[in-house]
Every structure is written in C-alpha cells, then in structure tokens.
Amino acid sequence: MTIEPAAASDLDAIKALLHMARLPTDDLTEALLANFLVAREADAIVGVVGIEHHGAMALLRSLVVQESSRGEGLGRRLLHAAVAPARRWSVRSPYLLTT
C-alpha cells in the first residue's frame, strides 16, 4: 500500500469514498486535490485525506479509510503524511472537522 499525492484522475474515486463515509464533496474540485493524499492498494484508492493551509492553522479534511482497510493503522499513516507538510509551513494548530 502506498500513500501519494492525489491526481486529477482520482477525483471520482475520492468522491465515491467520501460519499460512502457521508462526508461532503460539493466543494471538491481538481484544483483542491493539490492538497490531498490518497492511499492506494493495487489500483484502488482505499483512503484519502486533505489539508488546507490557513496561516498558522491547517484544516484536515476528508480523512476516510475504506471499511475493508480499517484496523491496520492506515488512518494514522494518512494523518502523519498530511501533517508533515504543515510543519514545513510553520502551522501551529491543525484542526480536524468531522461528523
């Protein structure tokens, strides 16, 4: 399993995964995907996370792991991968909004 930047061609698969988790997708565009990471197993996207930089704060969003891939630490790996760039941006406070 790899964690890598999302590509524009991943948009539909990301929206489907977010929809299954009942997370919002209305504002998700190809341009916004520049701040998203995906977890891939073979050719399937099994996890996703986004981060939005806002000065000294960052918003973690759309963190979801496909049900069949849960319990293996993938959510934690996605979280750490998303927060790593925030440290370089001097973000002091990352936030996660969830339902």
Side-chain angles (χ1 to χ4, degrees):
M1 189 171 318
T2 61
I3 295 176
E4 58 191 41
S9 59
D10 296 329
L11 184 59
D12 290 338
I14 290 170
K15 283 185 173 184
L17 188 57
L18 295 175
H19 182 71
M20 285 183 354
R22 296 187 175 136
L23 292 173
T25 61
D26 292 344
D27 66 335
L28 193 55
T29 63
E30 286 184 21
L32 193 59
L33 287 184
N35 298 319
F36 274 69
L37 299 170
V38 294
R40 292 185 197 280
E41 186 168 22
D43 290 332
I45 293 175
V46 296
V48 64
V49 65
I51 188 164
E52 295 178 13
H53 182 211
H54 300 280
M57 296 181 290
L59 173 65
L60 288 162
R61 57 169 290 169
S62 305
L63 176 57
V64 65
V65 173
Q66 184 174 349
E67 194 169 331
S68 63
S69 297
R70 293 180 185 164
E72 302 172 14
L74 181 55
R76 184 176 314 164
R77 288 179 53 206
L78 282 164
L79 174 64
H80 288 286
V83 171
R87 291 187 182 119
R88 291 191 301 271
W89 301 331
S90 299
V91 166
R92 292 189 316 247
S93 301
Y95 291 92
L96 173 65
L97 298 178
T98 187
T99 56

Coordinates of all heavy atoms in Angstrom, one line a residue:
M1 N 0.9 -1.2 0.0 CA 0.0 0.0 0.0 C 0.9 1.2 0.0 O 1.9 1.3 0.7 CB -0.9 0.0 1.2 CG -1.9 1.1 1.2 SD -3.2 0.9 2.5 CE -3.6 -0.8 2.5
T2 N 0.5 2.2 -0.8 CA 1.3 3.5 -0.9 C 0.4 4.6 -0.6 O -0.8 4.6 -0.8 CB 1.9 3.7 -2.3 OG1 0.8 3.7 -3.3 CG2 2.8 2.5 -2.7
I3 N 1.1 5.7 -0.1 CA 0.4 7.0 0.1 C 1.1 8.0 -0.8 O 2.3 8.1 -0.7 CB 0.5 7.4 1.6 CG1 -0.3 6.4 2.5 CG2 -0.1 8.8 1.8 CD1 -0.3 6.7 4.0
E4 N 0.3 8.6 -1.6 CA 0.9 9.5 -2.6 C -0.1 10.7 -2.9 O -1.3 10.6 -2.5 CB 1.2 8.8 -3.9 CG -0.1 8.1 -4.5 CD 0.3 7.1 -5.6 OE1 1.3 6.4 -5.4 OE2 -0.4 7.1 -6.6
P5 N 0.4 11.7 -3.5 CA -0.5 12.9 -3.8 C -1.6 12.4 -4.8 O -1.4 11.6 -5.6 CB 0.5 13.8 -4.6 CG 1.8 13.5 -4.1 CD 1.8 12.0 -3.9
A6 N -2.8 13.0 -4.5 CA -3.9 12.7 -5.4 C -3.7 13.3 -6.8 O -3.1 14.4 -6.9 CB -5.2 13.2 -4.8
A7 N -4.2 12.6 -7.8 CA -4.2 13.1 -9.2 C -5.6 13.5 -9.6 O -6.6 13.1 -9.0 CB -3.6 12.0 -10.1
A8 N -5.6 14.4 -10.6 CA -6.9 14.8 -11.1 C -7.8 13.6 -11.5 O -9.0 13.6 -11.3 CB -6.8 15.7 -12.3
S9 N -7.2 12.6 -12.0 CA -7.9 11.4 -12.4 C -8.5 10.6 -11.2 O -9.3 9.7 -11.4 CB -7.0 10.5 -13.2 OG -5.9 10.1 -12.5
D10 N -8.1 10.9 -10.0 CA -8.6 10.3 -8.8 C -9.9 10.9 -8.3 O -10.5 10.4 -7.4 CB -7.6 10.4 -7.7 CG -6.3 9.6 -8.0 OD1 -6.3 8.6 -8.7 OD2 -5.2 10.1 -7.5
L11 N -10.3 12.0 -8.9 CA -11.4 12.8 -8.3 C -12.7 11.9 -8.1 O -13.3 12.0 -7.0 CB -11.7 14.0 -9.2 CG -12.8 15.0 -8.6 CD1 -12.5 15.5 -7.3 CD2 -13.0 16.1 -9.6
D12 N -13.1 11.2 -9.1 CA -14.4 10.4 -9.0 C -14.2 9.3 -7.9 O -15.2 9.1 -7.1 CB -14.7 9.8 -10.3 CG -15.2 10.8 -11.3 OD1 -15.6 11.9 -10.9 OD2 -15.1 10.5 -12.5
A13 N -13.1 8.7 -7.8 CA -12.9 7.6 -6.8 C -12.9 8.2 -5.4 O -13.4 7.7 -4.4 CB -11.6 6.8 -7.1
I14 N -12.3 9.4 -5.3 CA -12.2 10.1 -4.0 C -13.6 10.5 -3.6 O -14.0 10.3 -2.4 CB -11.3 11.3 -4.0 CG1 -9.8 10.8 -4.1 CG2 -11.5 12.2 -2.8 CD1 -8.8 12.0 -4.4
K15 N -14.4 11.1 -4.5 CA -15.8 11.5 -4.2 C -16.6 10.3 -3.8 O -17.4 10.4 -2.8 CB -16.4 12.2 -5.4 CG -15.9 13.6 -5.5 CD -16.7 14.3 -6.6 CE -16.4 15.8 -6.7 NZ -17.2 16.5 -7.7
A16 N -16.4 9.1 -4.4 CA -17.2 7.9 -4.1 C -16.8 7.5 -2.7 O -17.7 7.1 -1.9 CB -16.9 6.8 -5.1
L17 N -15.5 7.5 -2.3 CA -15.1 7.1 -1.0 C -15.7 8.0 0.1 O -16.2 7.6 1.1 CB -13.6 7.0 -0.9 CG -13.0 6.5 0.4 CD1 -13.4 5.0 0.6 CD2 -11.5 6.5 0.2
L18 N -15.6 9.3 -0.2 CA -16.2 10.3 0.7 C -17.7 10.2 0.9 O -18.2 10.3 2.0 CB -15.8 11.7 0.3 CG -14.3 12.1 0.3 CD1 -14.1 13.5 -0.2 CD2 -13.7 12.0 1.7
H19 N -18.3 9.9 -0.2 CA -19.8 9.8 -0.2 C -20.2 8.6 0.6 O -21.1 8.6 1.4 CB -20.3 9.6 -1.6 CG -21.8 9.4 -1.7 ND1 -22.7 10.5 -1.5 CD2 -22.6 8.4 -2.0 CE1 -23.9 10.1 -1.6 NE2 -23.9 8.8 -1.9
M20 N -19.4 7.5 0.5 CA -19.7 6.3 1.3 C -19.6 6.6 2.8 O -20.3 6.0 3.7 CB -18.8 5.1 1.0 CG -19.1 4.5 -0.3 SD -18.1 3.1 -0.8 CE -16.8 2.9 0.4
A21 N -18.7 7.5 3.2 CA -18.5 7.9 4.6 C -19.4 9.1 5.0 O -19.2 9.6 6.1 CB -17.0 8.3 4.8
R22 N -20.3 9.5 4.1 CA -21.2 10.6 4.3 C -20.4 11.9 4.6 O -20.9 12.7 5.5 CB -22.2 10.3 5.4 CG -23.1 9.1 5.1 CD -24.1 8.9 6.1 NE -25.0 7.9 5.6 CZ -25.5 6.9 6.3 NH1 -25.2 6.8 7.6 NH2 -26.3 6.0 5.8
L23 N -19.3 12.1 3.9 CA -18.6 13.4 4.0 C -18.9 14.2 2.8 O -19.2 13.7 1.8 CB -17.1 13.1 4.1 CG -16.6 12.4 5.4 CD1 -15.2 12.0 5.3 CD2 -16.9 13.2 6.6
P24 N -18.8 15.5 3.0 CA -19.2 16.4 1.9 C -18.2 16.4 0.7 O -17.0 16.1 0.9 CB -19.1 17.8 2.5 CG -18.3 17.7 3.8 CD -18.4 16.3 4.2
T25 N -18.7 16.5 -0.5 CA -17.9 16.5 -1.7 C -18.2 17.7 -2.6 O -17.6 17.9 -3.6 CB -18.2 15.2 -2.5 OG1 -19.6 15.2 -2.9 CG2 -17.8 14.0 -1.7
D26 N -19.2 18.5 -2.2 CA -19.7 19.6 -3.1 C -18.6 20.6 -3.5 O -18.6 21.1 -4.6 CB -20.8 20.4 -2.4 CG -22.1 19.6 -2.3 OD1 -22.2 18.5 -3.0 OD2 -23.0 20.0 -1.5
D27 N -17.7 20.9 -2.6 CA -16.6 21.8 -2.9 C -15.3 21.2 -3.5 O -14.4 21.9 -3.7 CB -16.3 22.7 -1.7 CG -15.6 21.9 -0.6 OD1 -15.9 20.7 -0.5 OD2 -14.9 22.5 0.2
L28 N -15.3 19.9 -3.6 CA -14.1 19.2 -4.0 C -13.9 19.3 -5.5 O -14.8 18.8 -6.3 CB -14.2 17.7 -3.6 CG -13.0 16.9 -3.7 CD1 -11.8 17.5 -2.9 CD2 -13.2 15.5 -3.2
T29 N -12.8 19.9 -5.9 CA -12.5 20.2 -7.3 C -11.1 19.6 -7.6 O -10.4 19.3 -6.7 CB -12.5 21.7 -7.7 OG1 -11.5 22.3 -6.9 CG2 -13.9 22.3 -7.4
E30 N -10.8 19.5 -8.9 CA -9.5 19.1 -9.3 C -8.4 20.0 -8.7 O -7.4 19.5 -8.3 CB -9.3 19.0 -10.8 CG -10.1 17.9 -11.5 CD -9.9 17.8 -12.9 OE1 -8.9 18.4 -13.5 OE2 -10.7 17.1 -13.6
A31 N -8.7 21.3 -8.7 CA -7.7 22.2 -8.1 C -7.4 22.0 -6.6 O -6.3 22.0 -6.2 CB -8.1 23.7 -8.3
L32 N -8.5 21.7 -5.9 CA -8.3 21.4 -4.5 C -7.6 20.1 -4.2 O -6.9 19.9 -3.1 CB -9.7 21.3 -3.8 CG -9.8 21.4 -2.3 CD1 -9.1 22.6 -1.8 CD2 -11.2 21.3 -1.8
L33 N -7.6 19.2 -5.2 CA -6.9 17.9 -5.0 C -5.3 18.1 -4.8 O -4.7 17.2 -4.4 CB -7.1 17.0 -6.1 CG -8.5 16.3 -6.2 CD1 -8.6 15.4 -7.4 CD2 -8.9 15.7 -4.9
A34 N -4.8 19.3 -5.1 CA -3.4 19.5 -4.9 C -3.0 19.3 -3.5 O -1.8 19.1 -3.2 CB -3.0 20.9 -5.4
N35 N -4.0 19.4 -2.6 CA -3.7 19.3 -1.1 C -4.2 18.0 -0.6 O -4.5 17.9 0.6 CB -4.3 20.5 -0.4 CG -3.7 21.8 -0.8 OD1 -2.5 21.9 -1.0 ND2 -4.6 22.8 -1.0
F36 N -4.4 17.0 -1.4 CA -5.0 15.7 -1.0 C -3.9 14.6 -1.2 O -3.1 14.7 -2.1 CB -6.2 15.4 -1.7 CG -7.5 16.0 -1.1 CD1 -7.7 17.3 -1.2 CD2 -8.4 15.2 -0.6 CE1 -8.9 17.9 -0.6 CE2 -9.6 15.7 0.0 CZ -9.8 17.0 0.0
L37 N -4.0 13.6 -0.3 CA -3.2 12.4 -0.4 C -4.2 11.2 -0.5 O -5.3 11.3 0.1 CB -2.3 12.2 0.8 CG -1.3 13.3 1.1 CD1 -0.6 13.1 2.4 CD2 -0.2 13.3 0.0
V38 N -3.8 10.2 -1.2 CA -4.6 9.0 -1.3 C -3.7 7.8 -0.9 O -2.5 7.8 -1.1 CB -5.1 8.8 -2.7 CG1 -6.2 9.9 -3.1 CG2 -4.1 8.7 -3.8
A39 N -4.4 6.8 -0.4 CA -3.7 5.5 -0.1 C -4.2 4.6 -1.2 O -5.4 4.5 -1.4 CB -4.1 5.0 1.3
R40 N -3.3 3.9 -1.8 CA -3.6 3.0 -2.9 C -3.2 1.6 -2.5 O -2.1 1.4 -2.0 CB -2.9 3.4 -4.2 CG -3.3 4.7 -4.8 CD -2.6 4.8 -6.2 NE -2.7 6.2 -6.6 CZ -3.7 6.8 -7.2 NH1 -4.8 6.0 -7.4 NH2 -3.7 8.0 -7.5
E41 N -4.1 0.7 -2.8 CA -3.8 -0.7 -2.7 C -4.0 -1.3 -4.1 O -5.2 -1.3 -4.6 CB -4.6 -1.4 -1.7 CG -4.2 -2.8 -1.5 CD -4.8 -3.4 -0.2 OE1 -5.9 -2.9 0.2 OE2 -4.3 -4.4 0.3
A42 N -3.0 -1.7 -4.8 CA -3.1 -2.0 -6.2 C -3.5 -0.8 -7.0 O -2.9 0.2 -6.8 CB -4.0 -3.2 -6.5
D43 N -4.6 -0.8 -7.7 CA -5.1 0.3 -8.4 C -6.2 1.0 -7.7 O -6.8 2.0 -8.2 CB -5.5 0.0 -9.8 CG -4.3 -0.4 -10.7 OD1 -3.2 0.1 -10.4 OD2 -4.5 -1.2 -11.6
A44 N -6.6 0.5 -6.5 CA -7.8 1.0 -5.8 C -7.4 2.1 -4.8 O -6.4 1.9 -4.1 CB -8.6 -0.1 -5.2
I45 N -8.2 3.1 -4.6 CA -8.0 4.1 -3.6 C -8.8 3.6 -2.4 O -10.0 3.4 -2.4 CB -8.5 5.5 -4.0 CG1 -7.6 6.0 -5.1 CG2 -8.5 6.5 -2.8 CD1 -8.0 7.3 -5.7
V46 N -8.0 3.4 -1.3 CA -8.6 2.8 -0.1 C -8.6 3.8 1.1 O -9.2 3.5 2.2 CB -8.0 1.5 0.4 CG1 -8.2 0.4 -0.7 CG2 -6.5 1.7 0.7
G47 N -8.0 5.0 0.9 CA -8.0 6.0 1.9 C -7.7 7.4 1.3 O -7.1 7.5 0.2
V48 N -8.1 8.4 2.0 CA -7.9 9.8 1.5 C -7.8 10.7 2.7 O -8.4 10.5 3.7 CB -9.0 10.2 0.5 CG1 -10.3 10.3 1.1 CG2 -8.6 11.5 -0.2
V49 N -7.1 11.8 2.5 CA -7.0 12.9 3.5 C -6.7 14.2 2.7 O -5.9 14.1 1.7 CB -6.0 12.6 4.6 CG1 -4.6 12.6 4.1 CG2 -6.2 13.7 5.7
G50 N -7.2 15.3 3.1 CA -6.9 16.6 2.6 C -6.4 17.5 3.7 O -6.8 17.3 4.8
I51 N -5.6 18.5 3.3 CA -5.2 19.5 4.3 C -5.3 20.9 3.6 O -4.9 21.0 2.4 CB -3.8 19.2 4.8 CG1 -3.5 20.2 6.0 CG2 -2.8 19.2 3.7 CD1 -2.3 19.8 6.8
E52 N -5.8 21.9 4.3 CA -5.9 23.2 3.7 C -5.1 24.1 4.7 O -5.3 24.1 5.9 CB -7.3 23.7 3.7 CG -8.2 22.9 2.7 CD -9.7 23.4 2.7 OE1 -9.9 24.5 3.3 OE2 -10.5 22.7 2.2
H53 N -4.2 24.9 4.1 CA -3.3 25.7 4.8 C -3.9 27.1 5.0 O -4.3 27.7 4.0 CB -1.9 25.8 4.1 CG -0.9 26.6 4.8 ND1 0.0 27.3 4.1 CD2 -0.7 26.9 6.1 CE1 0.8 28.0 4.9 NE2 0.4 27.7 6.2
H54 N -4.0 27.6 6.2 CA -4.6 28.9 6.5 C -3.7 29.6 7.5 O -4.0 29.6 8.7 CB -6.0 28.8 7.1 CG -6.9 28.1 6.1 ND1 -7.5 28.8 5.1 CD2 -7.4 26.9 6.1 CE1 -8.3 27.9 4.4 NE2 -8.3 26.8 5.0
G55 N -2.6 30.2 7.1 CA -1.7 30.9 8.0 C -1.1 29.9 9.0 O -0.4 28.9 8.6
A56 N -1.2 30.2 10.3 CA -0.7 29.4 11.4 C -1.5 28.2 11.7 O -1.2 27.4 12.6 CB -0.5 30.2 12.6
M57 N -2.6 28.0 10.9 CA -3.5 26.9 11.2 C -3.7 26.1 9.9 O -3.4 26.6 8.8 CB -4.9 27.4 11.6 CG -4.9 28.1 12.9 SD -6.6 28.7 13.3 CE -6.9 30.0 12.2
A58 N -4.1 24.9 10.0 CA -4.4 24.0 8.9 C -5.6 23.2 9.2 O -5.8 22.8 10.4 CB -3.2 23.1 8.6
L59 N -6.4 23.0 8.2 CA -7.6 22.2 8.4 C -7.4 20.9 7.7 O -7.2 20.8 6.5 CB -8.8 23.0 7.7 CG -10.1 22.2 7.6 CD1 -10.7 21.9 9.0 CD2 -11.1 22.9 6.8
L60 N -7.5 19.8 8.5 CA -7.5 18.5 8.0 C -8.9 18.1 7.6 O -9.9 18.4 8.4 CB -7.0 17.5 9.0 CG -5.5 17.6 9.4 CD1 -5.3 16.9 10.7 CD2 -4.8 16.9 8.2
R61 N -9.1 17.6 6.4 CA -10.5 17.3 6.0 C -10.5 16.0 5.2 O -9.5 15.6 4.7 CB -11.0 18.5 5.1 CG -10.1 18.8 3.9 CD -10.8 19.7 3.0 NE -11.9 19.1 2.3 CZ -12.8 19.7 1.6 NH1 -12.7 21.0 1.4 NH2 -13.7 19.1 1.0
S62 N -11.7 15.5 5.1 CA -11.9 14.3 4.3 C -11.0 13.2 4.6 O -10.6 12.5 3.7 CB -11.8 14.7 2.8 OG -12.6 15.8 2.5
L63 N -10.8 12.9 5.8 CA -10.0 11.8 6.3 C -10.9 10.6 6.4 O -11.8 10.6 7.2 CB -9.3 12.1 7.6 CG -8.5 10.9 8.2 CD1 -7.4 10.4 7.3 CD2 -7.9 11.4 9.5
V64 N -10.7 9.6 5.5 CA -11.5 8.4 5.5 C -10.7 7.2 5.0 O -9.9 7.4 4.1 CB -12.8 8.6 4.7 CG1 -12.5 8.8 3.2 CG2 -13.8 7.5 4.8
V65 N -11.0 6.1 5.6 CA -10.4 4.8 5.1 C -11.5 3.9 4.8 O -12.5 3.8 5.6 CB -9.5 4.2 6.3 CG1 -9.0 2.9 5.9 CG2 -8.3 5.2 6.6
Q66 N -11.4 3.3 3.7 CA -12.4 2.3 3.3 C -12.6 1.2 4.4 O -11.6 0.8 5.0 CB -12.0 1.6 2.0 CG -13.0 0.7 1.4 CD -12.5 0.2 0.0 OE1 -11.6 0.7 -0.6 NE2 -13.2 -0.8 -0.5
E67 N -13.8 0.8 4.6 CA -14.1 -0.1 5.7 C -13.3 -1.3 5.7 O -12.8 -1.8 6.8 CB -15.6 -0.4 5.7 CG -16.1 -1.1 7.0 CD -17.6 -1.2 7.1 OE1 -18.3 -0.3 6.5 OE2 -18.0 -2.1 7.7
S68 N -13.0 -1.9 4.6 CA -12.3 -3.2 4.5 C -10.8 -3.0 4.8 O -10.1 -4.0 5.0 CB -12.4 -3.8 3.1 OG -11.9 -2.9 2.1
S69 N -10.3 -1.7 4.9 CA -8.9 -1.5 5.2 C -8.7 -0.9 6.6 O -7.6 -0.4 6.9 CB -8.3 -0.5 4.1 OG -8.4 -1.1 2.9
R70 N -9.8 -0.8 7.4 CA -9.7 -0.2 8.7 C -9.0 -1.2 9.7 O -9.0 -2.4 9.4 CB -11.0 0.2 9.2 CG -11.6 1.3 8.4 CD -13.0 1.7 8.9 NE -13.5 2.8 8.0 CZ -14.7 3.1 7.9 NH1 -15.6 2.6 8.8 NH2 -15.1 4.1 7.1
G71 N -8.5 -0.7 10.7 CA -7.9 -1.5 11.8 C -6.4 -1.9 11.5 O -5.9 -2.7 12.2
E72 N -5.8 -1.3 10.5 CA -4.4 -1.6 10.1 C -3.5 -0.4 10.3 O -2.4 -0.4 9.9 CB -4.4 -2.1 8.7 CG -5.3 -3.3 8.4 CD -5.4 -3.6 6.9 OE1 -4.6 -3.1 6.1 OE2 -6.3 -4.4 6.6
G73 N -4.0 0.7 10.9 CA -3.2 1.9 11.1 C -3.1 2.8 9.9 O -2.3 3.8 9.9
L74 N -3.9 2.6 8.9 CA -3.9 3.4 7.7 C -4.3 4.8 7.9 O -3.7 5.8 7.4 CB -4.7 2.8 6.5 CG -4.7 3.6 5.2 CD1 -3.3 3.8 4.7 CD2 -5.6 2.8 4.2
G75 N -5.3 5.0 8.8 CA -5.8 6.4 9.1 C -4.7 7.2 9.8 O -4.4 8.3 9.4
R76 N -3.9 6.5 10.6 CA -2.8 7.2 11.3 C -1.7 7.5 10.3 O -1.1 8.6 10.3 CB -2.2 6.3 12.4 CG -1.1 6.9 13.2 CD -0.7 6.0 14.3 NE -1.9 5.5 15.0 CZ -1.9 4.5 15.8 NH1 -0.8 3.9 16.1 NH2 -3.0 4.1 16.4
R77 N -1.4 6.6 9.4 CA -0.4 6.9 8.4 C -0.8 8.1 7.5 O 0.0 8.9 7.1 CB -0.2 5.7 7.5 CG 0.6 4.6 8.2 CD 0.8 3.3 7.4 NE 1.4 3.7 6.1 CZ 1.3 2.9 5.0 NH1 0.5 1.8 5.0 NH2 1.9 3.3 3.9
L78 N -2.1 8.1 7.1 CA -2.6 9.3 6.3 C -2.5 10.6 7.1 O -2.1 11.6 6.5 CB -4.0 9.0 5.9 CG -4.3 8.1 4.7 CD1 -5.7 7.6 4.7 CD2 -3.8 8.7 3.4
L79 N -2.9 10.5 8.4 CA -2.8 11.7 9.2 C -1.3 12.2 9.3 O -1.1 13.4 9.1 CB -3.3 11.4 10.6 CG -3.2 12.5 11.6 CD1 -4.0 13.8 11.2 CD2 -3.6 12.0 13.0
H80 N -0.4 11.4 9.5 CA 1.0 11.8 9.6 C 1.5 12.3 8.3 O 2.3 13.3 8.3 CB 1.9 10.6 10.1 CG 1.7 10.3 11.6 ND1 2.2 11.1 12.6 CD2 1.0 9.3 12.2 CE1 1.8 10.6 13.8 NE2 1.1 9.5 13.6
A81 N 1.1 11.7 7.2 CA 1.6 12.2 5.9 C 1.0 13.5 5.6 O 1.7 14.4 5.0 CB 1.2 11.1 4.8
A82 N -0.2 13.8 6.0 CA -0.9 15.1 5.7 C -0.3 16.2 6.6 O -0.1 17.3 6.2 CB -2.4 15.0 6.0
V83 N 0.1 15.9 7.8 CA 0.6 16.9 8.8 C 2.0 17.2 8.5 O 2.5 18.3 8.8 CB 0.4 16.4 10.2 CG1 1.1 17.3 11.2 CG2 -1.1 16.3 10.5
A84 N 2.8 16.3 7.9 CA 4.2 16.6 7.6 C 4.4 17.9 6.9 O 5.3 18.7 7.3 CB 4.8 15.4 6.9
P85 N 3.7 18.2 5.8 CA 3.9 19.5 5.1 C 3.5 20.7 6.0 O 4.1 21.8 5.9 CB 3.1 19.4 3.8 CG 2.5 18.1 3.8 CD 2.8 17.4 5.0
A86 N 2.5 20.5 6.8 CA 2.1 21.6 7.7 C 3.2 22.0 8.6 O 3.3 23.2 8.9 CB 0.9 21.1 8.5
R87 N 4.1 21.1 9.0 CA 5.2 21.5 9.9 C 6.1 22.4 9.1 O 6.7 23.4 9.6 CB 5.9 20.3 10.4 CG 5.1 19.5 11.3 CD 5.9 18.3 11.9 NE 5.1 17.6 12.9 CZ 4.8 16.3 12.7 NH1 5.3 15.6 11.7 NH2 4.0 15.7 13.6
R88 N 6.3 22.1 7.8 CA 7.2 23.0 7.0 C 6.6 24.4 6.8 O 7.3 25.3 6.5 CB 7.5 22.3 5.6 CG 8.4 21.1 5.8 CD 8.9 20.6 4.4 NE 7.8 20.3 3.5 CZ 7.2 19.1 3.4 NH1 7.6 18.1 4.2 NH2 6.3 18.9 2.5
W89 N 5.2 24.4 6.8 CA 4.5 25.7 6.7 C 4.4 26.5 8.0 O 3.8 27.5 8.1 CB 3.1 25.5 6.2 CG 2.9 24.7 4.9 CD1 3.8 24.7 3.9 CD2 1.8 23.9 4.5 NE1 3.3 23.9 2.9 CE2 2.1 23.4 3.2 CE3 0.6 23.6 5.2 CZ2 1.2 22.6 2.6 CZ3 -0.2 22.7 4.5 CH2 0.0 22.3 3.2
S90 N 5.0 25.9 9.0 CA 5.0 26.6 10.4 C 3.6 26.6 11.0 O 3.3 27.5 11.7 CB 5.6 28.0 10.4 OG 7.0 27.9 10.0
V91 N 2.8 25.6 10.6 CA 1.5 25.5 11.2 C 1.6 25.1 12.7 O 2.3 24.2 13.0 CB 0.6 24.5 10.4 CG1 -0.6 24.1 11.2 CG2 0.3 25.0 9.0
R92 N 1.0 25.9 13.5 CA 1.0 25.6 14.9 C -0.2 24.7 15.4 O -0.2 24.0 16.3 CB 1.0 26.9 15.8 CG 2.3 27.6 15.6 CD 2.4 28.8 16.6 NE 1.1 29.5 16.7 CZ 0.9 30.8 16.3 NH1 1.9 31.4 15.8 NH2 -0.2 31.3 16.4
S93 N -1.4 24.9 14.7 CA -2.6 24.2 15.1 C -3.3 23.6 13.9 O -3.9 24.2 13.1 CB -3.5 25.3 15.7 OG -2.9 25.9 16.8
P94 N -3.2 22.3 13.8 CA -4.0 21.6 12.8 C -5.3 21.2 13.4 O -5.4 20.8 14.6 CB -3.2 20.3 12.4 CG -2.4 20.1 13.6 CD -2.1 21.4 14.3
Y95 N -6.4 21.4 12.6 CA -7.7 21.1 13.1 C -8.4 20.0 12.2 O -8.1 20.0 11.0 CB -8.6 22.3 13.1 CG -8.2 23.3 14.1 CD1 -7.3 24.3 13.8 CD2 -8.7 23.3 15.4 CE1 -6.9 25.3 14.7 CE2 -8.3 24.2 16.4 CZ -7.4 25.2 16.0 OH -7.0 26.1 17.0
L96 N -9.2 19.2 12.8 CA -10.0 18.2 12.0 C -11.5 18.5 12.3 O -11.9 18.4 13.4 CB -9.6 16.8 12.4 CG -10.5 15.7 11.8 CD1 -10.3 15.6 10.3 CD2 -10.1 14.3 12.4
L97 N -12.2 18.7 11.2 CA -13.7 18.8 11.4 C -14.3 17.5 11.0 O -13.9 16.9 9.9 CB -14.2 19.9 10.5 CG -13.7 21.3 10.8 CD1 -14.3 22.3 9.8 CD2 -14.1 21.8 12.2
T98 N -15.2 17.0 11.7 CA -15.7 15.7 11.4 C -17.2 15.7 11.8 O -17.7 16.5 12.5 CB -15.0 14.6 12.2 OG1 -15.4 13.3 11.7 CG2 -15.1 14.7 13.7
T99 N -17.9 14.6 11.3 CA -19.3 14.5 11.7 C -19.5 13.3 12.6 O -18.6 12.5 12.7 CB -20.2 14.2 10.4 OG1 -19.6 13.1 9.7 CG2 -20.1 15.4 9.5

